[in-house]
Amino acid sequence: MAPMVVDLILCWWLVAASRAQQLPRPSLSLHPSQGVSLGDPVTLRCHLPRLAAWVWLYQEGGWLYPKGKEKEQDAAEFSFVSTLRVHAGRYRCQYRVSESAEVSVESDPVELVLTDLRYPPSSISLHPEQHVGTGTNVTIRCWNKDYGATFLLHKDGSSEPIQRQDSSGGGTATFTLFGVTPADSGIYRCSYRPWHYAFMSSPLGDTVMLEVTPTAAPPGAEEQSRANLVMALVRGFVAALVFGLGVFFVIDARSLWIRRDDNCGAPPSDSERLTYAEIHVVPPASQPPISPPLSTPMWAVGDPC
């Protein structure tokens, strides 16, 4: 009998797992999302991509909160009217559609971190102090009273801590902001979470103000920049001029060679034949004409080709 029960459970699990791949993943949100102290109310809202009849809220390593719905809807809320230490932790949600065995995969987790005002706030220091230039490395040091803890660095206006670090010996953590810019200007604070209570937090501690000013350009830098620009333009103009002249001379020389070749190979024109005849026709005279030397034809005299 026992093996049959095991087979049935395994079969149901395989069917549910295969169907879970067909359902969209839900999402989980926390309201308020931060700054919840012990005793404050808080709501976890599971957003359903499909209408569902059953929704489960899981606390990692803790409680399971099932919730059935009389009417199908696209969200389910789980509220704690007055939070306790046992409520702090990491949560996920899951749903099942109506009149079906289909069960979705779990949502991504959200963390419910509760602030315990019994923890003393941490101290904080800034180096260099307050006013720094762009590109400076800034060190922020946080410490508490001998609590082994994870420190978190907060900047006003940021919804999440910007850095976290485990404390060194003596309950101290050092944060470094490398090459700061004016965007890093603002108010900074620290909090810490004791190692044995990962989802319990101290209240935010004292503040430090960081002001990052743009680094001024050295004297004469603007004039030097303008001079460099002018020189670059002049060099570009000269290079373009030299290139243009070179192209012009190459084209001109090529055209001269082409004309010379054409003149050498072309037959003489009518005017040239007329001149040739005029030169060689000599009217009769008493003296016989003097013939040119046979070794040097007259048509070859002065021939450029």
Side-chain angles (χ1 to χ4, degrees):
M1 187 68 179
M4 183 179 297
V5 173
V6 172
D7 290 342
L8 288 174
I9 293 175
L10 179 60
C11 181
W12 177 87
W13 182 85
L14 291 174
V15 171
S18 63
R19 290 180 174 177
Q21 301 301 320
Q22 303 173 5
L23 291 177
R25 183 190 299 271
S27 61
L28 187 62
S29 60
L30 189 64
H31 306 274
S33 59
Q34 57 183 346
V36 182
S37 297
L38 277 173
D40 289 348
V42 69
T43 298
L44 292 102
R45 185 175 296 131
C46 185
H47 303 271
L48 311 172
R50 287 186 54 179
L51 299 179
W54 280 92
V55 183
W56 293 270
L57 180 69
Y58 299 93
Q59 182 186 24
E60 189 175 286
W63 298 92
L64 167 64
Y65 303 90
K67 178 167 278 193
K69 296 297 180 184
E70 295 181 359
K71 295 182 179 180
E72 293 181 341
Q73 58 185 47
D74 58 3
E77 293 186 348
F78 301 84
S79 298
F80 302 121
V81 177
S82 180
T83 51
L84 306 172
R85 276 180 172 264
V86 294
H87 294 145
R90 184 179 288 112
Y91 289 84
R92 304 172 189 265
C93 71
Q94 190 177 26
Y95 68 94
R96 191 194 74 186
V97 297
S98 179
E99 299 179 358
S100 172
E102 291 183 276
V103 179
S104 73
V105 293
E106 295 180 354
S107 67
D108 292 331
V110 297
E111 293 183 352
L112 174 56
V113 178
L114 299 177
T115 300
D116 191 342
L117 300 178
R118 292 174 295 180
Y119 293 126
S122 60
S123 301
I124 189 170
S125 64
L126 179 69
H127 181 79
E129 294 183 1
Q130 195 166 359
H131 299 283
V132 298
T134 299
T136 306
N137 293 339
V138 175
T139 300
I140 299 176
R141 180 171 170 266
C142 303
W143 67 94
N144 61 17
K145 294 184 177 180
D146 300 329
Y147 283 98
T150 297
F151 281 86
L152 298 97
L153 180 63
H154 305 261
K155 181 185 178 185
D156 282 10
S158 298
S159 59
E160 297 292 334
I162 61 172
Q163 291 189 38
R164 65 175 61 202
Q165 184 182 126
D166 288 340
S167 63
S168 58
T172 301
T174 301
F175 301 96
T176 302
L177 306 179
F178 295 97
V180 294
T181 68
D184 295 308
S185 299
I187 296 175
Y188 291 82
R189 314 168 192 258
C190 287
S191 67
Y192 60 90
R193 300 179 187 178
W195 285 335
H196 298 296
Y197 302 96
F199 299 102
M200 300 300 299
S201 173
S202 72
L204 293 174
D206 297 334
T207 65
V208 291
M209 169 71 80
L210 175 62
E211 295 183 12
V212 183
T213 56
T215 303
E222 185 175 355
E223 290 77 6
Q224 183 63 37
S225 177
R226 291 178 181 174
N228 292 338
L229 178 60
V230 171
M231 288 298 298
L233 292 175
V234 170
R235 290 172 181 171
F237 175 76
V238 171
L241 181 61
V242 171
F243 178 78
L245 291 175
V247 172
F248 172 77
F249 284 123
V250 169
I251 294 175
D252 189 61
R254 180 177 175 82
S255 64
L256 291 175
W257 280 104
I258 292 174
R259 287 199 301 270
R260 177 181 179 278
D261 293 340
D262 292 342
N263 292 335
C264 291
S269 63
D270 294 340
S271 60
E272 291 172 342
R273 285 195 293 269
L274 178 60
T275 303
Y276 180 82
E278 290 175 351
I279 292 174
H280 289 81
V281 175
V282 180
S286 59
Q287 296 295 330
I290 301 175
S291 299
L294 296 177
S295 60
T296 306
M298 182 175 290
W299 58 265
V301 175
D303 185 5
C305 299

